[in-house]
Amino acid sequence: MSTDALEGLLVALQAEGVQLQMDGDRVRLVDARGAWGPHTLAWRTARPVHHHQSCPSTNRIARELARVTPHGAPLPVVVADHQSAGRGRRGRVWSASPGQNLLFSVVLRPALTPADMPRAILAWAAAMADVLDVSLKWPNDLVVSRGDGYRKLGGILAELETASSDEVPAIPTSVVLGVGINVSQTAFEDLPLATSLALLGRTVIDRAELLGALVQAIDAVDVQADDLLDLWRRRACMLGRTVRVGDLVGVAEGIRDDGALMVSGRPVLAGDVELISR
Amino acid sequence: MSLSDSLPQIAELIALMRENDVSRIDYEDEQVNVSVRFGGEVVMTQAVAPAGAAPTAVADTGGAPATEGAGNIVKSPMVGTFYRSPDPSAPPFASPGDRIEKGQVLCIIEAMKLMNEIESEVSGVIAEVLVDNGQAVQFGQPMFRIEAG
C-alpha cells in the first residue's frame, strides 16, 4: 500500500468515527467504539465491504457481486443500514428499523457440492449463535428459549449462486448467506415472537465490532471437518420436544450428518418447525 | 413401454442408487412406478414419468447425444422442496409452452432454507413440468422436459 493510499485510509477511518493518534510514522488506535462505515467494516470483518445506507436487499447485491468476483479474489460482505425490500424465506418480509440492527450478506465459496451446502450453512449459523450466545431453531434461526417457547433474534436466508462456465476463467459456485440480527430495536409491530439483543438486556455499544466477530466466526468454520455439526447440536433448542413440520408431528430427536432434522425417526429436509405445547 | 425402451431409465436408477445409498428399488414396468428404499429406513414412491410422455433419451447412459426433439431433462441437483415461483404470490418461472433461454431460472429447490435457483442449460420450449409446486424432489429427479425449438 502506498503512503498516499494509507493516509487516505486513515482519514477515511477517522471520518467514520475511528479515533486515531498520529505521531510521525506511528499510528495508535485510541477508540473505535461506535464507528460505522465501509472502511471500519472492512477492517472489522477482514473482507472487502460494500456498505449501503439503504438498499432493496443485501442478498440481491451480494449475488450480483458473487457472479463477477473471480476465483481467488477476496469475497465481499454487503452491509445495509436499512433494507427496503428485505426478504425472508418464500417472500416473507423481513422488517427492520434503520440503523438499529445488523443486516448483511456474506459471499462464501466452500469446496462443496450443492447437495453438501446445507450442512455448511447449519455450521455457519452455529458459529454465529456461539458469538451471540443464543440457541438455534432448525435449520438456522437464531433464537432464545422463553418459557414454553422461543423468541427469534435473527434469521438467515441462504442462496446459491451457481458457477458460471461462460466466463473465462470460470466463476465458482458461491453461497450468499443473508443475515438479519435485531440489535437495538425494541418494538416489533405484528411480530410477537421477535426479540433483540437490547430486549435481552445486552447492550451493544459497537455494531461494527459485533459484525466483525460474526463474519470472522463464519470464516473460521472448516466445512470439511468431521465434527462440523457438533456446535449446532450443542446450541440446538427444541430437541426432545414435540414438534410439527407440515403434516408430520413427532419428537425432534436431533440432526443427521447431512443436516436433516430427525422427527420420530423420519428425516425432514425442508419446512417450518413449530413447537407443540404439551 | 417395452423393456428395451425402459433400459436407459433403469441405468439411471442404478446410478442414482449408488449416489444416494439406496438399498432397493422396485420397478414396475406398465405404469413406470418405482419404489425406492434408502438404507432400509425411508421408503418413497416416485412416478418417473407418465406412460407415453416419457422421452426416449432420459440420460446420457451410452454417451449418445439426445436426438432432435427428444427433449432435455432438467434434473434436481439436490434433495429438497421444488418451487415454481420466487414467492407464493408471484407467477411461475416457467410453464409448459414457454420459450426459455439458456441461463434462465426455471425453479427453486429449497433444502434447509438454502434457496437454489435452477437455471436452464439449454434454450428451448418447456414441454413438461414433471413436479408439482411444493413437492419434495430427490437428487437427480427429472423436473422439466425442454424441447429444442
Side-chain angles (χ1 to χ4, degrees):
Chain A
M1 187 182 266
S2 71
T3 313
D4 282 355
L6 182 63
E7 274 177 18
L9 175 62
L10 294 175
V11 168
L13 283 168
Q14 286 178 306
E16 291 173 7
V18 178
Q19 292 177 41
L20 302 169
Q21 197 178 53
M22 315 283 200
D23 181 15
D25 288 347
R26 296 161 68 98
V27 180
R28 197 169 69 85
L29 176 66
V30 179
D31 193 356
R33 279 177 297 178
W36 184 261
H39 301 87
T40 306
L41 296 173
W43 160 52
R44 291 294 199 184
T45 59
R47 275 175 175 248
V49 167
H50 294 250
H51 173 249
H52 298 261
Q53 286 184 337
S54 179
C55 72
S57 150
T58 54
N59 260 30
R60 210 173 295 167
I61 294 170
R63 287 183 61 187
E64 284 164 14
L65 292 170
R67 223 169 286 156
V68 296
T69 304
H71 177 70
L75 298 172
V77 177
V78 179
V79 184
D81 297 345
H82 176 62
Q83 278 188 131
S84 54
R87 291 175 302 153
R89 188 178 156 270
R90 299 298 301 150
R92 286 172 199 168
V93 176
W94 180 268
S95 79
S97 301
Q100 296 197 324
N101 300 318
L102 277 180
L103 305 165
F104 62 99
S105 293
V106 186
V107 177
L108 293 144
R109 284 189 180 154
L112 297 171
T113 63
D116 282 331
M117 292 287 186
R119 61 198 301 269
I121 291 160
L122 263 64
W124 293 322
M128 286 193 281
D130 211 40
V131 168
L132 295 161
D133 192 21
V134 296
S135 301
L136 290 156
K137 172 179 174 283
W138 188 88
N140 52 31
D141 279 348
L142 300 163
V143 301
V144 287
S145 295
R146 270 291 171 277
D148 203 30
Y150 67 91
R151 294 287 180 273
K152 185 166 167 177
L153 179 74
I156 295 168
L157 179 75
E159 296 184 86
L160 213 54
E161 185 59 49
T162 311
S164 166
S165 50
D166 293 346
E167 305 284 332
V168 180
I171 303 276
T173 291
S174 306
V175 180
V176 170
L177 202 64
V179 183
I181 294 169
N182 301 326
V183 179
S184 47
Q185 188 170 349
T186 50
F188 296 93
E189 209 176 319
D190 300 328
L191 293 169
L193 291 181
T195 191
S196 66
L197 290 173
L199 286 173
L200 295 173
R202 303 193 207 164
T203 311
V204 176
I205 295 165
D206 193 346
R207 283 192 303 140
E209 187 181 23
L210 177 61
L211 175 71
L214 292 166
V215 172
Q216 297 208 35
I218 290 168
D219 282 337
V221 172
D222 172 12
V223 296
Q224 310 290 350
D226 291 338
D227 60 354
L228 184 65
L229 296 180
D230 282 8
L231 185 58
W232 195 99
R233 293 183 173 109
R234 285 203 296 276
R235 288 271 167 197
C237 72
M238 290 194 179
L239 297 188
R241 307 279 299 271
T242 302
V243 297
R244 183 203 308 276
V245 195
D247 298 332
L248 178 62
V249 174
V251 176
E253 293 163 338
I255 53 166
R256 213 163 59 171
D257 281 345
D258 63 355
L261 178 70
M262 299 305 292
V263 177
S264 292
R266 296 182 63 185
V268 174
L269 287 151
D272 287 324
V273 183
E274 292 173 65
L275 263 181
I276 295 181
S277 296
R278 283 279 160 96
Chain B
M1 179 184 275
S2 73
L3 183 61
S4 61
D5 284 338
S6 305
L7 280 175
Q9 292 187 353
I10 296 171
E12 186 178 30
L13 284 167
I14 291 167
L16 266 174
M17 286 175 79
R18 289 206 188 102
E19 280 161 358
N20 287 304
D21 190 28
V22 175
S23 60
R24 201 183 91 191
I25 291 179
D26 300 320
Y27 181 78
E28 213 175 311
D29 199 47
E30 283 301 307
Q31 280 104 35
V32 204
N33 271 339
V34 183
S35 297
V36 187
R37 187 177 292 270
F38 293 90
E41 50 174 45
V42 181
V43 180
M44 51 189 76
T45 304
Q46 185 179 3
V48 169
T56 49
V58 172
D60 301 334
T61 44
T67 52
E68 191 77 12
N72 273 279
I73 297 295
V74 181
K75 297 176 202 163
S76 178
M78 60 206 282
V79 177
T81 307
F82 172 89
Y83 292 115
R84 287 187 63 187
S85 62
D87 62 74
S89 61
F93 290 112
S95 296
D98 285 359
R99 162 103 209 145
I100 51 122
E101 300 300 327
K102 185 182 175 194
Q104 193 173 325
V105 176
L106 299 173
C107 64
I108 291 174
I109 306 295
E110 177 194 358
M112 295 175 238
K113 273 171 77 176
L114 169 64
M115 304 293 170
N116 186 6
E117 286 180 356
I118 309 299
E119 295 174 359
S120 181
E121 288 177 5
V122 295
S123 298
V125 175
I126 301 286
E128 270 185 288
V129 182
L130 302 165
V131 187
D132 289 335
N133 189 50
Q135 193 185 319
V137 287
Q138 299 303 314
F139 179 88
Q141 182 173 341
M143 302 185 294
F144 293 89
R145 187 164 66 87
I146 299 172
E147 283 178 350

